[in-house]
């Protein structure tokens, strides 16, 4: 198979935009219990309001232009066409950095951090902190999808990233990620230890084993974070995607209102707990850009399959990673240093009192500065 790297440009056909608006206008809305709020899921009124803005107010062409302002490419790796942004810094000594999204994210998450990471001098920073940024779409997600065969689990993605960086000529680089990217990036550190100089994640690093000794001496805040792993209500979406992703996809693939609600609920639950609604925490147009990518690429099924493919490895012990790791914990995320240190060389740890799970969208300035601070010691 060829290893050619091909320039790529997003260009959604107008017929797809027209189809989206028509489907939103024809949505068959469900009933709901009076006064239930968000306790049963997304309220109908909220979904209707957001869907109407998606239909009549959101400008996909403007979002498309913002994405296309970043150089984009595709290349076949391990049988899958992989899409990625590749933004080189004007600083010749910049450190290559591969940044990875998760579900329900996409490369649209990174639109506010790529500029400060690649050109810090233009954003009030120091030129010495510059990165050449590579931001791939996970196979099965967005413009790297759908996948066409089973087996695309988190480890396979990490191995594909090692090949991508090799193919780009980067033999010394860093890795960063949140959500699934916070699992893939440490796996990349293990898979390509000779070339990865450091791994930074926002969220959690590692999983608790359930051994009671792990909980001894933890602070109330740390115990609360670990309690999220036992929160079945919070994990319901993951159980569905890890067991019946194909059944779920019939609704998400056919109804943009369903795709909208499925993703918007996660932004309600995972963004800064101090913010009431998703659009209070993230820019609503950036949120709808992310949702639109799932819709236009038809990747509801293949993105959910990442959970099905990877569930057997959730919490499985891994070889200790000697690569330096940095962790940024934002409100609502379950990061606990003791858990992280069990399997990783943790050299940097930060905890923030604002922001949330989608840090690159919610508090990009905090995330960027933490990435810079960690990598200063390992460049």
């Amino acid at each position: 198979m060829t290893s050619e790297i091909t320039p790529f440009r997003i260009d959604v056909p107008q017929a797809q935009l027209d189809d989206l608006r028509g489907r939103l206008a024809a949505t068959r809305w469900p009933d709901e219990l009076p006064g239930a709020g968000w306790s049963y899921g997304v309220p109908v009124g909220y979904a209707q309001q957001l869907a109407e803005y998606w239909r009549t107010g959101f400008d996909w062409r403007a979002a498309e232009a913002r994405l296309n302002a970043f150089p984009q490419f595709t290349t076949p790796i391990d049988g899958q066409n992989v899409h990625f942004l590749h933004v080189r810094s004007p600083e010749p000594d910049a450190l290559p950095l591969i940044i990875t999204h998760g579900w329900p994210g996409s490369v649209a998450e990174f639109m506010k951090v790529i500029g400060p990471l690649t050109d810090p001098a233009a954003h009030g920073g120091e030129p010495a902190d510059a990165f050449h940024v590579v931001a791939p779409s996970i196979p099965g997600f967005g413009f790297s999808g759908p996948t066409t065969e089973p087996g695309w689990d988190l480890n396979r993605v990490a191995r594909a990233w090692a090949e991508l960086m090799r193919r780009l000529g980067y033999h010394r680089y860093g890795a960063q990620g949140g959500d699934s990217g916070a699992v893939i990036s440490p796996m990349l550190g293990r898979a390509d230890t000779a070339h990865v100089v450091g791994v930074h994640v926002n969220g959690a690093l590692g999983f608790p084993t359930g051994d009671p000794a792990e909980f001894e001496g933890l602070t109330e805040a740390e115990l609360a974070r670990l309690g999220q792993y036992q929160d079945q209500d919070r994990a319901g979406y993951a159980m569905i995607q890890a067991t019946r992703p194909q059944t779920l996809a019939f609704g998400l693939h056919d109804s943009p209102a369903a795709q909208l609600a499925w993703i918007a609920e996660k932004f309600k639950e995972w963004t800064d707990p101090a913010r009431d609604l998703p659009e209070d925490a993230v820019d609503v147009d950036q949120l709808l850009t992310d949702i639109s990518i799932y819709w236009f690429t038809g990747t509801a099924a293949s993105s959910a399959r990442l959970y099905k493919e990877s569930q057997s490895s959730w919490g499985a012990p891994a070889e200790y990673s000697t690569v330096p790791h940095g962790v940024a914990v934002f409100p609502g995320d379950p990061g606990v240093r003791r858990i992280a240190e069990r399997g990783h060389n943790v050299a940097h740890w930060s905890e923030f009192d604002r922001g949330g799970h989608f840090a690159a969208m919610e508090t990009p300035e905090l995330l960027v500065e933490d990435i810079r601070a960690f990598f200063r010691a390992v460049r």
Side-chain angles (χ1 to χ4, degrees):
M1 176 173 287
T2 178
S3 59
E4 182 179 359
I5 295 173
T6 305
F8 178 84
R9 186 172 180 83
I10 303 168
D11 186 13
V12 173
Q14 184 60 40
Q16 287 195 34
L17 295 176
D18 296 340
D19 176 72
L20 168 63
R21 293 176 182 132
R23 287 171 182 263
L24 288 169
T27 300
R28 183 184 181 204
W29 298 102
D31 73 316
E32 63 182 340
L33 294 173
W38 287 80
S39 62
Y40 283 75
V42 180
V44 174
Y46 177 80
Q48 288 175 324
Q49 182 180 14
L50 191 57
E52 183 62 12
Y53 178 70
W54 195 14
R55 187 177 75 88
T56 63
F58 173 67
D59 186 347
W60 166 256
R61 292 302 183 202
E64 191 176 65
R66 286 191 291 272
L67 287 166
N68 282 331
F70 301 114
Q72 298 175 63
F73 305 87
T74 61
T75 190
I77 300 177
D78 195 12
Q80 183 68 28
N81 198 43
V82 173
H83 162 263
F84 61 99
L85 312 184
H86 184 197
V87 186
R88 290 188 59 85
S89 171
E91 304 297 334
D93 295 328
L95 177 70
L97 179 70
I98 184 168
I99 57 177
T100 307
H101 64 83
W103 185 91
S106 67
V107 294
E109 279 186 56
F110 303 128
M111 289 193 289
K112 293 181 179 179
V113 301
I114 290 175
L117 288 173
T118 57
D119 193 2
H123 294 83
E126 296 295 327
D129 288 327
F131 298 93
H132 299 306
V133 170
V134 178
S137 299
I138 294 173
F141 288 68
F143 304 102
S144 286
T147 44
T148 57
E149 62 179 2
W152 273 104
D153 62 6
L154 296 166
N155 268 303
R156 187 172 176 182
V157 176
R159 294 192 299 271
W161 283 188
E163 169 59 20
L164 174 60
M165 296 303 274
R166 186 203 65 78
R167 197 170 292 182
L168 292 173
Y170 292 143
H171 303 299
R172 186 176 185 277
Y173 63 93
Q176 201 284 328
D179 194 84
S180 298
V183 182
I184 293 167
S185 297
M187 287 178 170
L188 175 57
R190 289 184 172 92
D192 200 18
T193 302
H195 301 114
V196 176
V197 301
V199 174
H200 181 280
V201 303
N202 54 286
L205 183 61
F207 296 89
T209 63
D211 182 348
E214 285 186 327
F215 297 84
E216 294 177 3
L218 295 180
T219 66
E220 286 189 19
E222 289 172 328
L223 289 170
R225 290 178 203 156
L226 288 185
Q228 295 181 33
Y229 290 104
Q230 282 75 50
D231 187 345
Q232 295 300 307
D233 185 69
R234 185 181 176 93
Y237 83 98
M239 295 301 100
I240 294 172
Q241 295 196 154
T243 55
R244 297 295 183 269
Q246 191 63 46
T247 305
L248 170 69
F250 285 100
L252 302 187
H253 188 81
D254 186 61
S255 167
Q259 182 71 89
L260 178 78
W262 189 243
I263 291 179
E265 182 189 77
K266 298 304 117 187
F267 277 82
K268 161 67 174 175
E269 292 188 348
W270 297 349
T271 49
D272 191 332
R275 306 293 184 178
D276 186 42
L277 294 172
E279 61 268 30
D280 297 331
V282 301
D283 177 81
V284 67
D285 286 336
Q286 193 176 13
L287 169 60
L288 287 172
T289 300
D290 179 66
I291 295 171
S292 297
I293 289 173
Y294 280 83
W295 177 257
F296 290 135
T297 59
T299 50
S302 58
S303 61
R305 285 198 292 268
L306 182 68
Y307 286 71
K308 177 75 169 177
E309 301 287 358
S310 304
Q311 65 166 326
S312 62
S313 66
W314 290 353
E319 179 184 353
Y320 182 84
S321 177
T322 59
V323 174
H325 284 68
V327 182
V329 181
F330 290 88
D333 275 335
V336 173
R337 185 160 190 163
R338 180 188 297 176
I339 303 300
E341 289 179 334
R342 189 179 63 232
H344 309 84
N345 173 19
V346 177
H348 173 94
W349 188 272
S350 300
E351 297 184 11
F352 296 93
D353 60 5
R354 64 185 178 93
H357 188 70
F358 301 96
M361 299 173 70
E362 296 181 69
T363 49
E365 73 287 354
L366 295 181
L367 179 62
V368 165
E369 184 49 45
D370 204 70
I371 293 170
R372 290 172 178 169
F374 166 67
F375 279 103
R376 281 178 198 136
V378 298
R379 282 178 177 269

